[in-house]
Amino acid sequence: LSSGKVEHVVPHMINPNFRFVEADVLESEPLAVALAGVELVYHLAANPDVKFAPETPDRDFRQNLMATQILLEAMRRGGVTKLAFSSTSAVYGISAVQPISETQPCEPISLYGATKLGCEGLISAYSNLFGIQARVFRFANVVGAKVRKTGKTVVSDFIAKLRATPRRLEILGDGRQSKSYFSVGDCVAAMLHVMDRDSTQFSVYNLGGDDWLSVRRIAEMVVEEMGLSGVEFAFTGTEAGWPGDIPRFRLDVSALSVLGWKTQQTSEQAVRMAIRLLLASERI
Amino acid sequence: LSSGKVEHVVPHMINPNFRFVEADVLESEPLAVALAGVELVYHLAANPDVKFAPETPDRDFRQNLMATQILLEAMRRGGVTKLAFSSTSAVYGISAVQPISETQPCEPISLYGATKLGCEGLISAYSNLFGIQARVFRFANVVGAKVRKTGKTVVSDFIAKLRATPRRLEILGDGRQSKSYFSVGDCVAAMLHVMDRDSTQFSVYNLGGDDWLSVRRIAEMVVEEMGLSGVEFAFTGTEAGWPGDIPRFRLDVSALSVLGWKTQQTSEQAVRMAIRLLLASERI
């Protein structure tokens, strides 16, 4: 709940198969209690904000790396033997090869990507040493109907900016940043698909579709869906949107295809749906 | 000094260019003081023991990952812009491709390798975000004349065992483990060579020679150098010597060759010299 919102959890409270435990992932005691009798952990907790925050320089270290180390230790002690981990395509950094396959070298350019890579390493070692079956999922940009408490996404950022100044939209970077996007629904379904089919000891998957979408196109779609016109695009000019931003990436998702999965929505469809859902939820 | 010995530092104390600061690398205050006016940091501090220690499960996390994070933060704050980092060939894990080049995927099988990989990620990100020029050196097995306080090496282990029972040598694994070894002298010289020639923002080098040497051969050499004969080799039998041990690896060192470096001693020469130096130092 440091970046998420409790209201996104509330609708599931009536589900008898769902249990919500509010605890700090950096504390091993409540984690050990919560893990009792658990077979499989989906470890999705992380600092989700890729931008470096000078006021909390060890945020990624603590919330990504340390939290994962504490979880892995709790799993080892508790004898929990299956793990699914939300990693990120940001582990690759700026790759000369596009689309990027899982075997490409990793040279992260953000502390977000760096600490996720460190988590992958820890998981690989725990998998080998202590028999934890692990899947590492390197997500494309996930978009959906919900807005985080901290760390804006491109869609929610554009909507907020256009609400404030409907004639002018500031776009971080040169607008030519092109990235792979997929919907949170596709993301969850893809993870479940892999968890049902891959029972190797350790494996890594790019998760997403095989296309990409430019930031300029996203801006155009937001303008369109908000019913605006004559909006001036003001680019901040640099190739990357901010330090640590990866300006261009496309994922090689053939490993996922081999398991029979195909991401349902294209990057453009996923982003358009996210825009519509966010605009609709604003109207409630 | 948790694994090292102060007597190895003492001989340098008379060098006016040398200053010894005794401090905990996990404390940022003394680090900040020590970094004042420094241009280049050789970060060699680490837990050197690849074996997992159940009594200190977070040892690699703290001494490798956390120490490196604290150093990088101190460098960022202090404006120190050059770094050489002692990583390890253990980052690769068990590679299907031999010899292993720097672009091979990393799936570490020990917490030692995992946390070094995490350090590499942090360094890559700090390099990009804060302009720290960094070289990452993935060491082959380094051998030399000195014995650590903790964490035996194969040579010192064999010597100690043969001192205790000169007719029988227990060898961890099946004896067919084959690894790349190089002398500490070659290691230091290679690092200095690269630091003088590569001024790119971030780069990674395998450090060592291009050959390998079997554990059985090392045992034979130790027996020979100790003047023993008729020693029975008792193999513990598994492919790897211990959990997290990488049974076979050879390094592709062409990136180092391109910079004009060639490791002087073969694996066999380096190990033989280490055996002789260790035996000689015992006699003092």
Side-chain angles (χ1 to χ4, degrees), chain B residues 181-211:
Chain B
Y181 296 86
F182 74 140
S183 75
V184 65
D186 261 336
C187 177
V188 171
M191 277 195 287
L192 294 173
H193 184 91
V194 172
M195 293 311 288
D196 276 351
R197 279 158 189 87
D198 180 354
S199 57
T200 58
Q201 192 58 23
F202 178 82
S203 51
V204 180
Y205 291 89
N206 285 336
L207 226 65
D210 58 4
D211 62 350

Side-chain angles (χ1 to χ4, degrees), chain A residues 156-168:
Chain A
S156 66
D157 183 41
F158 285 173
I159 293 176
K161 280 176 175 167
L162 285 168
R163 287 263 177 263
T165 58
R167 306 295 296 268
R168 185 178 180 280

Side-chain angles (χ1 to χ4, degrees), chain A residues 65-84:
Chain A
L65 263 178
M66 198 180 283
T68 300
Q69 163 73 14
I70 288 167
L71 171 65
L72 287 167
E73 259 308 292
M75 287 179 68
R76 179 179 77 85
R77 285 169 193 270
V80 184
T81 55
K82 284 183 191 165
L83 175 66

Side-chain angles (χ1 to χ4, degrees), chain B residues 7 52 80 102 160 179 184:
Chain B
E7 59 257 43
F52 178 73
V80 184
E102 291 87 350
K179 309 178 190 191
V184 65

Side-chain angles (χ1 to χ4, degrees), chain B:
Chain B
L1 301 176
S2 20
S3 64
K5 294 173 182 168
V6 75
E7 59 257 43
H8 296 154
V9 179
V10 170
H12 304 287
M13 300 281 192
I14 53 161
N15 183 337
N17 294 323
F18 181 83
R19 191 160 62 95
F20 177 61
V21 180
E22 186 172 348
D24 188 337
V25 286
L26 293 173
E27 286 175 19
S28 44
E29 276 310 304
L31 205 51
V33 174
L35 285 179
V38 165
E39 191 190 329
L40 164 60
V41 174
Y42 283 84
H43 173 33
L44 310 168
N47 163 45
D49 199 355
V50 176
K51 290 190 192 73
F52 178 73
E55 62 283 7
T56 52
D58 63 350
R59 188 182 56 178
D60 296 282
F61 188 88
R62 289 172 59 81
Q63 296 183 9
N64 298 355
L65 265 177
M66 200 180 282
T68 299
Q69 162 73 14
I70 288 167
L71 171 65
L72 288 167
E73 259 307 291
M75 288 179 67
R76 179 179 77 85
R77 286 168 191 269
V80 184
T81 56
K82 284 183 191 167
L83 175 66
F85 176 66
S86 57
S87 188
T88 171
S89 48
V91 295
Y92 298 115
I94 293 165
S95 176
V97 179
Q98 302 281 351
I100 314 174
S101 80
E102 291 87 350
T103 55
Q104 283 298 305
C106 294
E107 294 192 1
I109 60 166
S110 62
L111 292 183
Y112 177 78
T115 51
K116 286 284 190 179
L117 179 63
C119 293
E120 291 191 6
L122 291 171
I123 292 166
S124 172
Y126 269 84
S127 173
N128 178 271
L129 290 170
F130 310 115
I132 296 174
Q133 275 192 2
R135 304 289 146 253
V136 165
F137 296 111
R138 293 177 178 162
F139 291 179
N141 282 323
V142 182
V143 291
K146 297 188 176 71
V147 179
R148 290 197 293 265
K149 210 153 52 180
T150 60
K152 283 175 286 193
T153 61
V154 61
V155 175
S156 66
D157 182 44
F158 284 173
I159 293 176
K161 280 176 175 169
L162 286 167
R163 288 264 177 262
T165 59
R167 306 296 297 269
R168 186 178 178 279
L169 178 61
E170 187 202 63
I171 300 176
L172 301 180
D174 60 8
R176 281 180 297 202
Q177 303 105 288
S178 292
K179 309 178 190 191
S180 178
Y181 296 86
F182 74 140
S183 75
V184 65
D186 261 336
C187 177
V188 171
M191 277 195 287
L192 294 173
H193 184 91
V194 172
M195 293 311 288
D196 276 351
R197 279 158 189 87
D198 180 354
S199 57
T200 58
Q201 192 58 23
F202 178 82
S203 51
V204 180
Y205 291 89
N206 285 336
L207 226 65
D210 58 4
D211 62 350
W212 53 7
L213 184 65
S214 76
V215 167
R216 173 187 272 276
R217 182 73 196 121
I218 296 176
E220 289 167 358
M221 285 195 287
V222 174
V223 165
E224 212 177 291
E225 294 294 333
M226 288 177 77
L228 301 171
S229 62
V231 178
E232 178 210 343
F233 289 168
F235 299 101
T236 60
T238 48
E239 196 197 4
W242 58 86
D245 180 33
I246 295 164
R248 292 167 70 81
F249 78 89
R250 244 184 96 184
L251 296 179
D252 179 336
V253 291
S254 46
L256 206 53
S257 304
V258 167
L259 287 190
W261 174 261
K262 197 183 168 337
T263 294
Q264 300 299 301
Q265 294 178 305
T266 63
S267 286
E268 178 152 341
Q269 287 170 333
V271 168
R272 189 175 294 275
M273 193 184 68
I275 298 168
R276 286 184 185 168
L277 289 168
L278 284 169
L279 290 172
S281 69
E282 277 189 355
R283 284 186 216 105
I284 296 166

